[in-house]
Amino acid sequence: MKKRLQHWRLRVLPVVLALSGFAVTCQAEDDSGLDIADISGLDIADTLARSAPSAPAKASTSSQQRIFTEATVSTTSQAGRSTQAARVSLDYFRRIGSGPRMYGIVSGRLDNSWGPAPRSSRDSVHTLRELYVEWQGSPNWIVNAGRINAQFGEAIAFNPTDFFREGSLRSVTSVLPSDLRDNRQGSVMLRMQRLWNGGSVTVIGSPRLPKHSSKNTFSLDLAATNPSQRWLVAISQKFGQQVTPQLVFAGGASQPPKVGFSVSWLPRPDTVAYVEANVARRPTTLASIGAWHDDTRLRPQVAVGAKWNATDAISINLELDVDKTAPGTAQVAALTTAPPAVRQAFIETLLRNQNLAYPRQLFVAATWKDLLGPKGNVSALARIDAQSRRGQYWIELRKRYGATELGAQFLSTPGSALQTRGAKFSFVLDHYF
């Protein structure tokens, strides 16, 4: 039984996240089709990616590649009406080596969406995630140049030290944190890493690229990922076999310096605990769009949590997230009566920055591998406003048949003063080549 449960999938985590985000639903008047219920799942960390089974892939000594397609159909019930939508996606990754010390990476995704009906329309978006060259001059030095999806942080639901997340999401097709982090655009940068036993130093320089942000299908959208000159220095050193801290400094032109840290440790063999935080001078999200007075001051962002492997098949994650840029009671009241244009600007900014929608939220996730039989997993997530106790809830049933996976998902959004009650049911098919 333990062996069957061994690779329990953490898809549940992103679900919870999607469930409890800021729930101001503006779809009725918003042609973008985005609502805060969708955005709430944007900041879950990539722990899921590290815990999930790897996709089938063909590999050789000189290259590796992964290609898969995904098709979804969904029905959403909200505000007394029902809408249908569909999506077909092609996801690719290719690694090509040109020698023992140098190789190139190209990775991207093309999403074709239809709906929601009855005003059905087609929308195609290509996301170039990565396109870079890596050179390892020696075992202790690595240099990368190009578009790189640089990720930092140990938390699951929210990553305060993931400083390159802003402007990176071009297409949102999932509430899974691993998908949201992996399917985003990288930033154009030069990255250098110095490695030693148990530690490393990473130095990143990212230039401003003066282009206009574009929604054209195959646009590189460089203005979104490289809006200004930025730099980052990250230092990590492992202590013993159980404690791994990292200190991160970041800044750039026309932006205040940021200081962040993350640390993970093993309080017991079956549990991983972590703390991640950053602090910088910044306004709240609502003030940043000019809908509130200037309230710039030191505002921390913090994530504290743990993952417990109850058995080889069952995992439970618990995380508390704090974001002082999120709207407080007075700002929520203002958003409730704000014009649709202000709500839409708030949603777009929240999506671009990938910050939290609640000042404090509780994230809970659980997964159970093989509950539905061999390679049949159940995942569930919940993300809840710590003050109102309201949130969103998601569950997925997924089964693998060889190179094909079938899934059924259900998302429920309870109603509140800033949230329209609704539910979404989806069928998903993934096929790996």
Side-chain angles (χ1 to χ4, degrees):
M1 177 67 174
K2 281 190 174 182
K3 192 170 183 178
R4 292 179 56 196
L5 300 173
Q6 184 173 356
H7 302 291
W8 191 28
R9 198 168 210 164
L10 260 158
R11 287 188 173 248
V12 164
L13 296 177
V15 177
V16 173
L17 193 68
L19 302 179
S20 82
F22 183 57
V24 177
T25 303
C26 305
Q27 273 189 329
E29 300 293 338
D30 180 9
D31 290 337
S32 70
L34 284 170
D35 63 28
I36 296 183
D38 297 320
I39 297 170
S40 58
L42 297 179
D43 298 313
I44 306 176
D46 67 338
T47 297
L48 294 180
R50 296 193 292 266
S51 301
S54 58
K58 298 179 180 179
S60 67
T61 57
S62 62
S63 68
Q64 289 182 313
Q65 71 176 22
R66 182 196 70 239
I67 301 175
F68 76 90
T69 59
E70 182 174 76
T72 68
V73 292
S74 63
T75 297
T76 302
S77 298
Q78 193 172 57
R81 63 191 182 102
S82 179
T83 59
Q84 291 75 43
R87 175 176 54 82
V88 176
S89 302
L90 175 66
D91 192 292
Y92 62 90
F93 167 88
R94 177 74 175 177
R95 171 175 170 167
I96 303 174
S98 59
R101 297 182 177 178
M102 180 176 287
Y103 63 87
I105 291 289
V106 58
S107 173
R109 181 182 178 98
L110 178 62
D111 296 307
N112 296 283
S113 303
W114 293 265
R119 54 173 188 173
S120 297
S121 61
R122 179 178 175 180
D123 183 31
S124 298
V125 177
H126 177 263
T127 300
L128 181 63
R129 292 183 297 238
E130 294 190 304
L131 180 61
Y132 68 88
V133 175
E134 176 166 306
W135 175 66
Q136 187 166 5
S138 72
N140 298 326
W141 284 96
I142 301 175
V143 178
N144 310 106
R147 169 167 265 186
I148 302 170
N149 183 2
Q151 302 178 10
F152 296 89
E154 295 292 333
I156 295 172
F158 181 49
N159 290 101
T161 64
D162 190 17
F163 293 129
F164 283 95
R165 69 179 184 268
E166 296 180 8
S168 62
L169 284 171
R170 182 165 165 81
S171 177
V172 179
T173 61
S174 173
V175 300
L176 295 173
S178 57
D179 290 349
L180 293 169
R181 291 190 65 164
D182 291 344
N183 291 336
R184 70 190 192 187
Q185 302 175 116
S187 297
V188 176
M189 65 177 64
L190 175 65
R191 180 173 66 185
M192 295 176 288
Q193 295 175 285
R194 175 70 167 90
L195 312 175
W196 62 83
N197 185 26
S200 67
V201 171
T202 300
V203 178
I204 293 176
S206 180
R208 176 181 182 270
L209 297 178
K211 299 286 185 180
H212 294 290
S213 183
S214 172
K215 295 183 180 180
N216 293 338
T217 299
F218 290 99
S219 171
L220 297 179
D221 208 10
L222 297 175
T225 59
N226 291 74
S228 63
Q229 293 181 355
R230 290 177 292 176
W231 57 267
L232 181 145
V233 177
I235 306 170
S236 64
Q237 176 63 59
K238 190 171 184 178
F239 295 96
Q241 298 298 315
Q242 297 184 336
V243 181
T244 306
Q246 182 177 67
L247 190 61
V248 183
F249 304 91
S254 302
Q255 56 180 283
K258 302 175 183 177
V259 179
F261 78 91
S262 64
V263 59
S264 63
W265 70 95
L266 302 174
R268 46 185 290 171
D270 58 0
T271 304
V272 178
Y274 54 85
V275 177
E276 183 179 345
N278 87 66
V279 63
R281 285 185 57 82
R282 51 198 160 203
T284 58
T285 301
L286 196 60
S288 70
I289 63 173
W292 195 258
H293 62 82
D294 184 9
D295 54 8
T296 300
R297 60 180 176 84
L298 284 176
R299 295 184 180 276
Q301 297 176 323
V302 183
V304 180
K307 174 187 173 184
W308 174 45
N309 295 307
T311 70
D312 289 341
I314 301 175
S315 294
I316 298 173
N317 287 77
L318 182 65
E319 181 174 308
L320 175 65
D321 302 313
V322 177
D323 184 359
K324 291 302 183 178
T325 69
T329 304
Q331 290 189 347
V332 170
L335 276 170
T336 306
T337 58
V342 173
R343 291 192 178 196
Q344 180 173 341
F346 176 82
I347 292 171
E348 290 174 351
T349 302
L350 195 65
L351 176 63
R352 181 176 62 254
N353 296 339
Q354 298 183 57
N355 288 332
L356 297 184
Y358 295 122
R360 295 180 304 278
Q361 63 180 17
L362 180 65
F363 172 80
V364 183
T367 58
W368 192 328
K369 185 190 173 184
D370 297 338
L371 179 63
L372 305 178
K375 299 181 180 179
N377 308 330
V378 177
S379 302
L381 293 172
R383 194 174 188 177
I384 304 166
D385 174 15
Q387 182 173 352
S388 69
R389 303 294 192 270
R390 296 181 183 273
Q392 296 173 304
Y393 306 90
W394 178 94
I395 187 168
E396 179 190 61
L397 312 180
R398 180 170 288 257
K399 181 81 170 178
R400 171 172 284 188
Y401 302 90
T404 301
E405 291 185 354
L406 298 177
Q409 303 172 354
F410 179 75
L411 173 66
S412 174
T413 303
S416 70
L418 291 178
Q419 176 173 312
T420 302
R421 183 180 180 85
K424 182 178 180 179
F425 187 79
S426 305
F427 286 105
V428 182
L429 183 150
D430 293 337
H431 182 76
Y432 297 87
F433 297 93

